[in-house]
Amino acid sequence: MASTSAVLPSQRELTSRILPFVFFTFACYLAIGVQLAILPSYVHLNLGYNTVLAGLIISIEYVATVLTRPQAGRMVDRLGAKRTVQYGLATAAASGAFTLLAAFSLHVPWTALVSLIIGRLLLGAAESMVGTGSTLWGILTVGTEHTATVISWNGICTYGGLAIGAPLGIYLEKGLGFWSVGAFVTLLGLIPLSIARRLVPAPITHGEALPFHHVFRRVAPHGVALALSSVGFGVLATFITLDFAHRHWSGAAFALTLFGALFIVGRLIFSNAINRLGGFPVATVCLIIECLGLLGLWLTHAEALAFAGAALTGFGFSLVFPSLGVEAVRHIPAHAKGTALGAYGVFMDFSLMAVGPAAGAIIGGLGYPPIYLFAACSVLAALGMTRWLAARERELADGFTPSSKHS
């Protein structure tokens, strides 16, 4: 431990050591992103299903993620991060094969829908393994003192993949056809898999296994705040394409790109603020900004203002996951951090799983704008939860200080 703290790497050196691992997250979310802007429209307009099913085809991925995220965390702790990432990439390649099959089943809509659902379920499982494995691979390689930095870069790769993938998916579908998206997703699993095999595995930290329900209970309050804050992203990512089409606007892919770009800018510029100021103050500011962006999307009647709302939402959401995540795993033993991160991530997955059908139902009854108000109210609830957690942490710290002095 002494040697680790004696020579601290520069920011550039630290980044260069982290990037090879979070690259796998980028590849996985690029596979998710290329489908994000086209699948709801494909299901609704090409296959002829309603908006609830159009939202469900996005949300169904998170069903698998919710179910597999805890297991992915245990895989990292027991099998190692490298093997977990490799299993995830292979699963992503399989999901691309089913998406490719759906492209050639357009003449039988129910067959195409079933193929898409299987592909989305596989991609959700891949997301669990690759996302959790890449994060822990980076943390265990560069040191737990850089947890916030690794999580931040992992998120940059997450939303960078989504930001690049959204317009890329549209261009692929328009230029080559829907089949090209399935082929591309398959390659995004196979090529990174060959790269992962060449990297050095992270050490596996041994210790007494903590029951999952114990870890889950410790991270649950932070996870609830994360889930509420994720509603804005889920609504925007799933339905902004159909919203823009309904309003006869043409810039849905650009709005998603703005969301992702401002998300990345926020993480690049302000990620160190978590170490300087603490997770809860950073999360508070971010949630306020995200809420303002969603309220702007709710009230706007102009495409340019919708772009501003999407950008503000992305900038606000940028540091919510790492700022609350650092606080969630702060007191978790090193040998259980994979399980803790998996449990923490489940809350975001569950939120995104539920948002699609819920927002689809709201659209069916009230139209598109109210879904942004619904998301803004959820973010306000996340803000309240965050302030309560911060107050609880201060109370625990104040209560611990006297006893520590006596000891």
Side-chain angles (χ1 to χ4, degrees):
M1 182 66 70
S3 60
T4 303
S5 59
V7 181
L8 295 176
S10 67
Q11 194 63 39
R12 180 177 295 181
E13 291 171 337
L14 182 62
T15 300
S16 66
R17 292 175 63 190
I18 292 171
L19 288 180
F21 306 108
V22 297
F23 162 75
F24 303 116
T25 297
F26 173 78
C28 184
Y29 278 88
L30 185 60
I32 295 170
V34 294
Q35 302 177 46
L36 200 58
I38 63 172
L39 277 188
S41 298
Y42 188 78
V43 170
H44 183 48
L45 302 177
N46 293 71
L47 299 182
Y49 293 101
N50 59 33
T51 56
V52 174
L53 273 177
L56 183 63
I57 201 63
I58 295 296
S59 298
I60 196 72
E61 174 196 336
Y62 302 109
V63 173
T65 310
V66 165
L67 295 175
T68 59
R69 183 82 76 173
Q71 182 60 33
R74 289 193 290 267
M75 286 174 66
V76 174
D77 291 333
R78 296 173 184 174
L79 303 179
K82 178 176 179 175
R83 287 178 63 185
T84 304
V85 169
Q86 287 178 306
Y87 290 146
L89 293 170
T91 305
S95 77
F98 276 95
T99 306
L100 188 59
L101 176 62
F104 294 105
S105 304
L106 182 60
H107 58 289
V108 186
W110 72 267
T111 304
L113 183 65
V114 170
S115 297
L116 286 176
I117 289 173
I118 294 173
R120 298 294 291 170
L121 290 172
L122 288 172
L123 192 57
E127 179 190 348
S128 294
M129 290 181 277
V130 175
T132 305
S134 296
T135 304
L136 263 295
W137 202 349
I139 289 173
L140 295 175
T141 299
V142 303
T144 56
E145 67 272 19
H146 301 298
T147 295
T149 305
V150 176
I151 293 177
S152 292
W153 272 108
N154 202 63
I156 289 172
C157 290
T158 296
Y159 294 97
L162 294 176
I164 295 171
L168 179 59
I170 293 174
Y171 298 142
L172 284 173
E173 184 188 33
K174 288 183 177 179
L176 298 174
F178 187 75
W179 69 268
S180 63
V181 175
F184 187 65
V185 171
T186 303
L187 291 176
L188 285 173
L190 295 177
I191 294 174
L193 178 59
S194 66
I195 296 173
R197 288 172 177 166
R198 298 183 175 92
L199 296 181
V200 177
I204 300 175
T205 305
H206 298 286
E208 183 181 354
L210 294 177
F212 178 77
H213 66 84
H214 176 73
V215 177
F216 184 87
R217 187 168 59 249
R218 292 177 67 174
V219 304
H222 307 79
V224 170
L226 174 66
L228 291 167
S229 71
S230 302
V231 172
F233 164 63
V235 162
L236 191 147
T238 305
F239 285 106
I240 198 166
T241 303
L242 290 174
D243 182 19
F244 271 49
H246 180 74
R247 297 174 189 249
H248 305 290
W249 295 343
S250 59
F254 182 60
L256 286 169
T257 298
L258 278 176
F259 174 92
L262 268 292
F263 178 96
I264 292 170
V265 167
R267 289 222 171 168
L268 286 174
I269 297 177
F270 298 108
S271 61
N272 287 332
I274 298 172
N275 291 328
R276 294 197 312 269
L277 304 175
F280 292 127
V282 172
T284 298
V285 174
C286 287
L287 290 168
I288 292 171
I289 296 172
E290 182 186 0
C291 186
L292 291 174
L294 290 166
L295 289 173
L297 284 166
W298 170 49
L299 295 171
T300 187
H301 296 286
E303 188 175 14
L305 293 178
F307 291 151
L312 203 60
T313 302
F315 187 77
F317 189 57
S318 62
L319 292 176
V320 174
F321 189 101
S323 58
L324 291 175
V326 165
E327 300 294 345
V329 305
R330 183 183 300 279
H331 305 298
I332 302 293
H335 65 271
K337 285 191 183 293
T339 302
L341 277 176
Y344 174 66
V346 160
F347 287 89
M348 181 174 178
D349 301 328
F350 182 80
S351 174
L352 297 177
M353 178 187 71
V355 160
I362 291 172
I363 291 168
L366 301 173
Y368 286 93
I371 62 175
Y372 303 115
L373 177 60
F374 162 66
C377 291
S378 297
V379 174
L380 279 176
L383 177 62
M385 188 75 181
T386 299
R387 299 315 305 153
W388 174 78
L389 284 168
R392 189 186 70 166
E393 187 73 17
R394 285 194 300 269
E395 290 175 2
L396 290 174
D398 292 341
F400 180 74
T401 302
S403 61
S404 64
K405 288 180 180 178
H406 289 301
S407 62

